[in-house]
Amino acid sequence: MKTVKLGIAGLGHVGCGLIELVERQAELRLPGKLEIVGVSARSKSRNRPVDISGYRWFDDAATLAEDPEVDVFVELVGGSDGPAKFAVEEAIKAGKHVVTANKALIAMHGQALEKLAQEKDVDLMFEAAVAGGVPVVRVLRDSLTGVTINRVSGILNGTCNYLTTEMLDTGRSYDEVLEEAQKLGYAEADPTLDVSGMDAAHKAAILASIAFTADLDFSKVSVKGVDTVELIDLVLADRLGLRIKLIAEGLLTDAGVVCRVAPLAMPVEHPLARVNGALNTVRVEGDPVGAVTLTGPGAGAGPTASAVMGDISKLFTPTARSPFGRAKHHESRQFVDAEPAERSAFFFRVKLADRPGALASLTEALAAHDVSVNKLLQESADDSDVSPVAIVTHVCSRGDIDAASARVSALEASVGAPQVIPIDAGN
Ligand code: HSE
C-alpha cells in the first residue's frame, strides 16, 4: 500500500481537525496510508485538542516544506503573503505537492503559483479554500467541464451567514454573535476579513476564475460586507417578508467576467433565504445543465479538514493538472470592473427623530429622486426618540436610490446613514 507523507503547517482549528482525521484514517476511504512527518505552527506549547508531541516539530514552515521526507506540504497558516506564501513557494520549488485552505493566497497569487507548480510538475490543490466542506472546486474544475457556465453565485462565508441568521433568530447583537462564530471556529483569525466581505470575495474570485477560464484579477472584484448591517435591518426586513444575506457572484458578460460580493435582501421563499447558519451554498448555472446547487457546512474545523483530506487523497495518484483547470488552448478571459446591478427594488432603512413632519421629509426626499414606496414600516421610537423606518421601494435605478439616500442622510430628522440593500426577487 502506498504511503503519502505529510508536512502540516498551521495548527489552528483546521490543522488540528486534519490531524484528528489522519489519526482515524482507518475509518476513511483513502487509497493508501498517510503519515505525518512533521508539523509547524507559531506556538509549540499552545493548548490544542490533539496531541502533537509524537510529531517532528518545525519552528519554520518553509523548512518543513523543503524537508526531504515530505511528499505533500499542507498549508493551513493563512494570509495572502508572508510565511504562508513563502512556504508554499519553497515547497513547490522543492518538488512537493501542495494542499492549502488559504483562499487569500490563492485569490491574490493563485495564478503565479499555478505557473510555478506547472513548471515543477507538481499539484497545487485548494478545495478547502472555497466553501469549507462543500466540494465545489473539483465539481467546477473537473465535473462541469461539459458545461458553458454563465453564472456562479451563492453564500460563501459561513461567519456572515451565521451572523445574519443568529442575530435575527435570537435577537442577539452583532458583537455577541461574531464572538460566538470565532469560538465555533468559523471566523478567520482576523474576523474583519469575514464581515468586510473580503473572504467571500476571495472565494468568489477563485470560483469565477475556474468557471470562466479567466485570469484572476482580484482588484476588479467589488466587495461590500455585512459590517454595516444592524439587527434592526434584519428584524424590519423580516417583517417585510425579506431576509438579508451576504451574496457572492461571478457572471460572464460581454465585457468580461464580473465578480462581486454584497448584502442582498430576498423574499423569504427565495431558495437562498433558507440556507441558514454557517451553511454555504453555490449555484452554478450553465448550458446545457441548467442549474446545479451544492450546499453544506462552509466553515469549521471538521468540514474544512475533510476538504483538505479530499485533496490529499487525490495525491496518491498525482496528475499535476492546472489547479484552475485551464489548458493552453482555452480562451483566457479577463475580470472587468463590477458595476452594481442597475435597476432593482431596494430595502431602505433610516432612523428618524420622532417628531412631526419627519416622515413627510423622508418621503419628499425619496420622491425628489423618483423613488417610489412599495411598502413602509415604522417602529415606535426608542428611549432616545429615534424611530427606525424601513421601506421596500418599487424598482428604481441604483443612481436614483443612492441620490435619494444622500438626500435623506442630510435631512435634519435623519440620524446616521441610511441602509440601502438591493432586493433579489429570485427571477
Ligand atoms: N471564515 C470562513 C467562513 C471559514 O466563515 O466562511 C471558511 O473559509
Side-chain angles (χ1 to χ4, degrees), residues 135-156:
V136 60
V137 168
R138 198 160 303 125
V139 167
L140 262 188
R141 195 190 73 164
D142 298 345
S143 307
L144 293 175
T145 47
V147 175
T148 305
I149 298 170
N150 46 51
R151 187 167 185 243
V152 186
S153 59
I155 295 170
L156 292 179

Side-chain angles (χ1 to χ4, degrees), residues 169-245:
D169 285 356
T170 66
R172 285 184 295 158
S173 72
Y174 176 95
D175 289 336
E176 199 182 328
V177 180
L178 182 56
E179 202 182 311
E180 187 179 51
Q182 288 176 274
K183 284 201 190 113
L184 290 166
Y186 300 155
E188 296 303 292
D190 171 7
T192 49
L193 281 169
D194 296 292
V195 297
S196 66
M198 197 56 90
D199 176 82
H202 288 146
K203 296 165 178 171
I206 294 169
L207 293 185
S209 176
I210 297 171
F212 308 123
T213 55
D215 295 330
L216 202 166
D217 179 358
F218 193 71
S219 70
K220 303 285 187 201
V221 182
S222 149
V223 190
K224 201 162 174 249
V226 297
D227 39 9
T228 61
V229 175
E230 297 179 25
L231 176 58
I232 191 70
D233 298 322
L234 301 170
V235 170
L236 294 183
D238 179 58
R239 292 202 196 137
L240 290 163
L242 299 170
R243 290 278 182 279
I244 296 172
K245 290 187 176 285

Side-chain angles (χ1 to χ4, degrees), residues 408-421:
V408 169
S409 195
L411 291 175
E412 214 186 310
S414 169
V415 180
Q419 177 71 271
V420 181
I421 297 180

Side-chain angles (χ1 to χ4, degrees), residues 285-373:
E285 293 163 53
D287 178 44
V289 75
V292 173
T293 305
L294 296 167
T295 303
T304 311
S306 77
V308 174
M309 189 55 111
D311 278 352
I312 293 170
S313 120
K314 291 291 280 180
L315 291 174
F316 283 92
T317 45
T319 58
R321 70 165 297 196
S322 155
F324 290 86
R326 303 201 294 181
K328 284 212 172 65
H329 65 274
H330 288 154
E331 179 193 352
S332 205
R333 297 198 177 88
Q334 303 303 314
F335 277 50
V336 294
D337 286 321
E339 302 296 337
E342 190 39 32
R343 289 182 72 77
S344 76
F346 289 87
F347 170 82
F348 184 89
R349 188 269 302 149
V350 62
K351 292 176 186 164
L352 293 179
D354 188 15
R355 59 167 178 260
L359 200 55
S361 68
L362 166 64
T363 51
E364 247 175 42
L366 295 175
H369 292 281
D370 267 345
V371 175
S372 174
V373 174

